[in-house]
């Protein structure tokens, strides 16, 4: 099922592996995107409880406010595995299109290692680069896997939090699970069913998938300190339909009594990523970003006449001779910076929510404004041309009601626009306009909102620059979108 934006890497034996980009709205080296993973109410809270987390990308997009990593479009097949691990090329067959299973975690990582070495020797130009450094393949982390399994930016917030990504044609059309109506106890060929919104096939069911990191239990507000075996995600062809969910996770041991652990239900897919500390310039950029983390929040007008609390604590600590007191002040400074960082992240979410509301209200102003014009034109034709009939009283009433409704909506829009402009200021709003535009650009359902975001931002920027409430002009700007 090829797609135009598939990223294809060559493999030994004239093979290939397809990858899909997974975008995150971030640009700076320390930018990341807040998400919630896991699911409450499954009965497995110590394994799957919902918890906040963060995701970012390894590669910079040439345009837009976006970074990305890549995830294999399909589970690694037996044919691909044999091409990497055997000395002779395998003969293609339908059976070899099955996901490879019954391999250990160590064999999966060895296959990734063989693939990395082969690419560097035979097809270095095919590998994406970040800051001039070649990318590499490995098993995905849990965050990479679950963010992609849920649909990433291609789904809205409510759909992302659901137990399964949107499946308009029903679960059977997208994933293999236990039972005669689906897999019927048999591993199935890779990629036969519909993909998830990111274009990834068989993320749930068929073969469970190995993760890069070891398994940890959950506590109420964090993960438990013990690291065990490796994590497997997504369920398999033996998983009951009721248990197929993006939060499903389990533990497999690295070893059993007879040697390395293998399972006929567990396979893997590869992630394509890049190193973080790629160059001296990148390290300097990271250091500069680190120093800015958790700094005192700017006022809405961007002014900062006096040194903030964080800066004062840092200066005070550096002047002390008492090492114990100096350490206490350094700890206090770190706690304050972390608190400021959480406030800044929460504020950015609130700014994007205000932009979402303003864009949506602009669509409503367009619809209600156009409908009012329609009613007014009909009234003129039927009731002001000398041919008034009995329906004119009803038409007049509808016209007045719609006009009152539109005026109330206009006042609410203006109030919301002025409030968010006053609360956040131009620089913060402008920064989050770019981020929110990236989010709705990646989501096909939200993409139609993009021109309304631009119109709303123009209305808001006009207010910020002129400090004049132009309710009627803002209404007309939104109505003009109909043209």
């Amino acid at each position: 099922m090829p797609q135009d934006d598939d990223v294809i890497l060559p493999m030994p034996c004239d093979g290939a592996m397809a990858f899909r980009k997974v975008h995150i709205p971030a640009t700076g080296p320390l930018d990341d995107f807040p998400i919630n993973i896991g699911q409450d109410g499954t009965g497995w809270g110590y394994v799957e409880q919902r918890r906040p987390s963060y995701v970012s990308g390894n590669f910079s997009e040439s345009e837009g406010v976006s970074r990305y990593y890549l995830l294999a479009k399909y589970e690694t097949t037996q044919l691909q595995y044999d091409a990497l691990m055997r000395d002779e090329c395998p003969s293609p067959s339908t059976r070899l299109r099955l996901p490879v299973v019954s391999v250990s975690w160590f064999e999966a990582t060895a296959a990734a290692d063989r693939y990395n070495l082969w690419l560097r020797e035979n097809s270095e130009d095919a590998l994406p680069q970040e800051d001039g450094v070649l990318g590499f393949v490995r098993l995905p982390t849990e965050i990479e896997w679950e963010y992609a399994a849920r649909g990433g930016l291609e789904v809205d917030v409510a759909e992302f939090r659901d137990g399964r990504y949107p499946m308009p044609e029903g679960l059977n059309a997208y994933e293999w699970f236990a039972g005669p109506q689906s897999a019927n106890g048999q591993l199935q060929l890779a990629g036969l069913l519909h993909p998830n919104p990111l274009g990834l096939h068989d993320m749930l069911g068929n073969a469970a998938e190995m993760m890069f990191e070891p398994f940890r239990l959950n506590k109420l507000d964090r993960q438990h300190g013990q690291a065990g075996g490796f994590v497997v995600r997504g369920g398999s062809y033996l998983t009951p339909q009721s248990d197929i969910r993006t939060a499903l996770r389990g533990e497999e041991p690295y070893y059993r009594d007879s040697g390395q652990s293998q399972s006929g239900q567990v396979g893997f897919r590869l992630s394509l990523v890049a190193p973080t500390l790629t160059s001296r310039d990148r390290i300097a950029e990271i250091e500069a970003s680190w120093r800015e983390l958790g700094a005192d929040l700017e006022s809405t007008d961007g002014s900062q006449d006096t040194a903030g609390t964080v800066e004062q604590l840092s200066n005070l600590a550096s002047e002390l001779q008492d090492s114990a007191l100096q350490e206490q002040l350094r700890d206090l400074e770190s706690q304050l910076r972390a608190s400021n960082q959480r406030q800044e992240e929460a504020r950015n979410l609130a700014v994007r929510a205000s932009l979402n509301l303003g864009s949506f209200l602009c669509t409503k102003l367009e619809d209600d404004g156009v409908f009012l014009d329609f009613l007014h034109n009909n009234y003129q034709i039927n009731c002001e041309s000398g041919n008034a009939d009995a329906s004119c009283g009803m038409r007049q009433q509808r016209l007045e009601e719609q006009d009152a409704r539109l005026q109330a909506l206009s006042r609410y829009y203006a109030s919301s626009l002025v409030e968010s402009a006053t609360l956040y200021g131009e620089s913060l709003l402008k920064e989050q306009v770019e981020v929110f535009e990236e989010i709705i650009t990646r989501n096909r359902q939200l993409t139609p909102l993009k021109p309304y975001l631009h119109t709303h931002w123009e209305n808001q920027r006009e207010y910020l620059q002129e400090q004049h409430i132009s309710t009627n002009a803002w209404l007309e700007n939104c109505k003009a979108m109909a043209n």
Side-chain angles (χ1 to χ4, degrees), residues 35-39 42 47-51 53 71 75 105 139-150 160 162-163 175-176 202-216 218 223 230-237 239 243-252 265-269:
I35 59 173
N36 280 285
I37 63 171
Q39 183 178 344
T42 65
V47 176
E48 297 178 4
Q49 177 176 286
R50 188 185 305 277
R51 61 184 176 88
S53 189
L71 197 62
E75 294 169 326
W105 186 89
L139 294 177
T141 67
E142 279 205 83
I143 303 301
E144 291 169 349
W145 186 93
E146 188 164 340
Y147 177 73
R150 290 177 177 272
F160 187 90
D162 203 357
E175 305 293 356
W176 298 107
D202 303 319
M203 288 296 286
L204 311 179
N206 212 20
E209 299 180 16
M210 304 176 189
M211 299 294 106
F212 182 71
E213 66 264 60
F215 178 87
R216 294 177 186 272
N218 288 331
Q223 288 198 298
F230 62 90
V231 180
V232 292
R233 298 299 306 261
S236 74
Y237 62 93
T239 301
D243 288 341
I244 291 290
R245 57 184 180 272
T246 50
L248 185 63
R249 65 191 293 261
E251 178 186 22
E252 287 286 327
Q265 303 173 40
V266 179
F268 65 95
R269 79 174 70 216

Side-chain angles (χ1 to χ4, degrees), residues 301-474:
D301 60 5
S303 64
Q304 201 79 25
D305 295 333
T306 59
T309 306
V310 170
E311 185 179 350
Q312 291 182 45
L313 277 174
S314 179
N315 293 338
L316 182 59
S318 62
E319 295 171 358
L320 288 175
Q321 301 298 319
D322 187 325
S323 59
L325 184 55
Q326 187 180 57
E327 184 176 350
Q328 291 178 3
L329 286 177
R330 293 294 188 197
D331 288 343
L332 185 59
E333 179 192 347
S334 296
Q335 294 172 27
L336 181 58
R337 289 180 64 190
S339 176
N340 287 345
Q341 179 179 294
R342 288 191 295 269
Q343 290 183 57
E344 182 177 1
E345 290 168 349
R347 182 187 61 186
N348 290 342
L349 284 173
V351 173
R352 293 199 292 272
S354 76
L355 293 170
N356 191 6
L357 175 62
S359 305
F360 173 73
L361 290 176
C362 193
T363 71
K364 289 295 294 175
L365 287 172
E366 177 200 15
D367 291 343
D368 286 8
V370 170
F371 185 52
L372 178 64
D373 290 344
F374 170 78
L375 292 177
H376 187 264
N377 290 337
N378 274 355
Y379 183 82
Q380 285 182 318
I381 293 171
N382 293 282
C383 301
E384 293 181 351
S385 60
N387 298 318
D389 57 32
S391 69
C392 288
M394 177 270 291
R395 292 177 186 275
Q396 177 69 28
Q397 181 180 354
R398 290 186 65 191
L399 188 60
E400 292 173 353
E401 290 174 350
Q402 181 64 18
D403 183 62
R405 185 179 299 114
L406 181 60
Q407 293 306 315
L409 180 61
S410 297
R411 290 193 296 272
Y412 178 63
Y413 173 76
S415 175
S416 174
L417 181 152
V418 170
E419 182 179 4
S420 62
T422 304
L423 186 60
Y424 302 122
E426 184 170 1
S427 61
L428 286 175
L429 285 164
K430 181 180 180 181
E431 177 182 302
Q432 294 307 312
V433 164
E434 296 176 350
V435 175
F436 186 60
E437 181 177 357
E438 182 71 24
I439 292 172
I440 62 179
T441 298
R442 301 294 172 187
N443 187 320
R444 294 181 181 88
Q445 293 177 325
L446 296 179
T447 299
L449 200 62
K450 189 173 178 178
Y452 297 94
L453 170 64
H454 292 166
T455 299
H456 170 66
W457 173 230
E458 286 300 318
N459 291 341
Q460 195 161 49
R461 187 160 54 183
E462 176 187 307
Y463 169 76
L464 285 162
Q465 294 173 353
E466 300 181 8
Q467 294 295 303
H468 178 69
I469 299 175
S470 307
T471 305
N472 291 332
W474 297 340

Side-chain angles (χ1 to χ4, degrees), residues 50-209:
R50 188 185 305 277
R51 61 184 176 88
S53 189
Y54 298 86
V55 64
S56 190
N58 301 76
F59 300 100
S60 303
E61 209 41 291
S62 57
E63 297 180 359
V65 185
S66 179
R67 293 177 66 82
Y68 66 91
Y69 60 93
L70 297 110
L71 197 62
K73 186 174 180 178
Y74 309 101
E75 294 169 326
T76 304
T77 65
Q78 184 70 54
L79 183 62
Q80 290 172 323
Y81 182 79
D82 288 350
L84 289 170
M85 302 301 284
R86 291 186 176 181
D87 295 330
E88 296 182 356
C89 291
S91 299
S93 70
T94 301
R95 181 185 63 81
L96 294 182
R97 282 184 53 205
L98 291 167
V100 64
V101 293
S102 299
V103 294
S104 71
W105 186 89
F106 301 97
E107 289 170 325
T109 55
D113 177 55
R114 295 280 288 268
Y115 194 15
N116 282 311
L117 296 175
W118 185 90
L119 283 167
R120 278 159 170 73
E121 182 176 349
N122 297 277
S123 193
E124 181 179 295
D125 292 343
L127 277 170
Q129 298 185 20
E130 175 63 13
D131 194 27
V133 177
L134 292 173
F136 62 95
V137 297
R138 58 159 166 73
L139 294 177
T141 67
E142 279 205 83
I143 303 301
E144 291 169 349
W145 186 93
E146 188 164 340
Y147 177 73
R150 290 177 177 272
L153 294 182
E154 298 291 328
V155 299
D156 61 36
V157 174
E159 291 170 334
F160 187 90
R161 290 176 66 95
D162 203 357
R164 297 172 185 162
Y165 62 85
M167 300 178 182
E169 299 178 47
L171 178 61
N172 296 60
Y174 293 83
E175 305 293 356
W176 298 107
F177 51 89
Q181 74 276 31
S182 184
N184 200 25
Q186 299 291 325
L187 186 66
Q188 302 294 319
L189 299 179
L192 292 183
L193 301 181
H194 293 318
N196 81 346
L198 280 170
L200 301 166
H201 293 262
D202 303 319
M203 288 296 286
L204 311 179
N206 212 20
E209 299 180 16

